Amino acid sequence: MRATAGSTLSDGSYPPDDVTYAASLPGVDILCDQRFMVDRPSELPAHLLGLAAGRRVVLHAMHSVVDWLAFAVWEDGELVRSLSVSPGGGVGEDIGTPYAFELPYRAGEHPVRPVPGWTDDEPYPLPYHPLTLGEEALRHLFGFVLEGRRKPDDLDADRIALLGFRVVDPTGRAAAERAAMLELVRTMWPPRRFRYENGRMVEVVDR
């Protein structure tokens, strides 16, 4: 582990590979690291929870590529709430009593509106967009949002500085797994590209 360039809470919530951003503030410690983004929050490694014995631990993760959201809360080492959801995988984990801020989303009060020009007639497979609920979870669990309009009481995440640390797996296993994934991606078909034209999405074909 060695020090590296820091960031802010708004820009550093999704650090690069092998980088951890951290801050220790009155009453709260913040850690941002891709390695905490587990599909099922209940499977967060026990040694991480052990570092916060006797305290409240809150995990929050989102990935816009697959519209995935996961968050969880532990009180004194006990998991009291966990949710992991995406349109492709459905509800991967739903443990404990939902918080009040979740209820309007679960009741269908924030449906996903069709994107103009999208020709897929299939409705969105969830009654809400996970990333929209994710922003609401950020506000209620942490006091700030990354996207959307800030409310007067929201913290300004741009003003919260984070220290940077490069933390590398000494076994080399993590780097090897990433290299294998990149090689797999290179063997796939090239991505398809679309543009918006005359009210609909049209695939761009290279000639």
Side-chain angles (χ1 to χ4, degrees), residues 24-159:
S24 186
L25 307 169
V28 62
D29 294 319
I30 301 169
L31 291 173
C32 301
D33 194 307
Q34 289 188 45
R35 288 164 283 203
F36 301 157
M37 298 177 65
V38 292
D39 289 337
R40 296 174 179 270
S42 63
E43 297 175 358
L44 190 70
H47 73 273
L48 294 174
L49 298 174
L51 294 173
R55 302 174 65 187
R56 186 180 206 225
V57 176
V58 182
L59 170 72
H60 186 282
M62 293 192 297
H63 205 302
S64 60
V65 173
V66 292
D67 291 353
W68 170 68
L69 161 69
F71 68 84
V73 178
W74 292 260
E75 299 286 359
D76 197 12
E78 179 183 352
L79 181 63
V80 296
R81 179 68 182 126
S82 174
L83 178 68
S84 178
V85 61
S86 69
V91 179
E93 187 163 273
D94 190 354
I95 298 172
T97 303
Y99 291 114
F101 70 82
E102 300 178 56
L103 300 181
Y105 291 86
R106 297 168 76 97
E109 296 178 20
H110 298 279
V112 178
R113 306 296 182 190
V115 176
W118 185 251
T119 58
D120 190 349
D121 294 330
E122 292 293 323
Y124 198 76
L126 295 169
Y128 57 87
H129 199 292
L131 301 185
T132 305
L133 175 57
E135 289 293 327
E136 200 64 24
L138 270 179
R139 171 175 284 126
H140 284 268
L141 297 173
F142 292 91
F144 72 95
V145 293
L146 291 172
E147 296 184 1
R149 182 175 299 173
R150 289 212 315 258
K151 294 183 178 180
D153 293 336
D154 289 342
L155 297 172
D156 184 353
D158 285 322
R159 300 183 64 182

Side-chain angles (χ1 to χ4, degrees), residues 151-173:
K151 294 183 178 180
D153 293 336
D154 289 342
L155 297 172
D156 184 353
D158 285 322
R159 300 183 64 182
I160 299 176
L162 303 176
L163 300 175
F165 301 91
R166 183 164 295 280
V167 184
V168 179
D169 176 7
T171 68
R173 185 169 54 247

Side-chain angles (χ1 to χ4, degrees), residues 157-204:
D158 285 322
R159 300 183 64 182
I160 299 176
L162 303 176
L163 300 175
F165 301 91
R166 183 164 295 280
V167 184
V168 179
D169 176 7
T171 68
R173 185 169 54 247
E177 290 174 354
R178 281 199 301 270
M181 178 61 72
L182 289 174
E183 182 60 30
L184 179 63
V185 170
R186 276 194 287 268
T187 65
M188 295 179 178
W189 290 99
R192 298 169 65 190
R193 295 182 297 122
F194 294 83
R195 68 170 179 268
Y196 188 68
E197 182 179 290
N198 298 325
R200 63 192 189 94
M201 301 300 291
V202 178
E203 185 168 5
V204 177

